[in-house]
Amino acid sequence: LFVGSESSTARVLPYMDRRACALAEAELLGFPISMSPFALWMETIDRTGAVSLADLEAYAGQVVRVAGIQVCQRLHRTLKGQLMQFVSLADESGIAEMSLFPDTYREHGWYLSQHRAICVRVLVEWDDTQSGLQLTVRDVLDSASEQMDWQDK
């Protein structure tokens, strides 16, 4: 096809196991294709004692532990100009939106920006119209803070 060009041979790519392939897909596309994002990212966090998102109604008025994958984050400025964040969290049972008010966002925003799968303590309350739940993040449980007894906080 190309006169005078040297012939080339196709390079053989190194073997990648399923997990390495999924991580490469997530790096390139933002999400894995060859395996479930829950299988890929949720294995890295301790979900002991976590309430499934589908069961949160039963815990209205309580602070509980939830775990999941962040699927969306939005920053918002309060009337006083402070940053706060809304995070959509998904687990195998559903999706819920959580609010990080300015103090919590300042303390944990960086951690959330660096991790896909997270475990958090949230206050579960009914919204003003009693038609849905609102989740207010109290603590983000990283590997260091998970060593403490989170129920006593």
Side-chain angles (χ1 to χ4, degrees):
L1 179 66
F2 298 103
V3 178
S5 66
E6 295 179 24
S7 65
S8 65
T9 58
R11 286 185 29 205
V12 176
L13 296 176
Y15 170 78
M16 295 174 68
D17 65 20
R18 186 171 177 224
R19 180 171 169 71
C21 183
L23 286 170
E25 293 164 355
E27 183 179 346
L28 181 64
L29 303 172
F31 53 90
I33 295 173
S34 60
M35 70 187 299
S36 160
F38 297 108
L40 178 62
W41 289 311
M42 294 294 283
E43 71 183 17
T44 63
I45 61 172
D46 179 11
R47 300 170 71 176
T48 306
V51 173
S52 75
L53 298 177
D55 295 335
L56 284 174
E57 281 187 21
Y59 296 90
Q62 299 178 46
V63 175
V64 298
R65 179 179 176 159
V66 294
I69 296 172
Q70 298 180 77
V71 293
C72 181
Q73 296 180 351
R74 292 186 329 272
L75 289 178
H76 178 75
R77 286 211 182 268
T78 66
L79 292 176
K80 294 181 179 181
Q82 297 178 312
L83 281 176
M84 63 177 292
Q85 185 177 43
F86 297 100
V87 175
S88 295
L89 189 73
D91 70 7
E92 294 87 341
S93 70
I95 298 176
E97 184 166 276
M98 308 179 305
S99 303
L100 284 89
F101 289 104
D103 290 340
T104 307
Y105 175 69
R106 272 192 300 279
E107 186 175 348
H108 300 292
W110 173 251
Y111 182 86
L112 293 180
S113 72
Q114 301 300 307
H115 296 84
R116 297 255 187 183
I118 58 170
C119 190
V120 293
R121 283 186 342 113
V122 295
L123 172 61
V124 181
E125 298 176 295
W126 286 105
D127 65 15
D128 294 338
T129 64
Q130 300 292 309
S131 61
L133 295 174
Q134 62 184 27
L135 307 178
T136 305
V137 175
R138 294 297 176 95
D139 291 309
V140 175
L141 304 172
D142 62 19
S143 58
S145 65
E146 282 184 329
Q147 294 173 3
M148 301 183 310
D149 184 5
W150 61 272
Q151 292 176 333
D152 292 337
K153 283 189 172 183

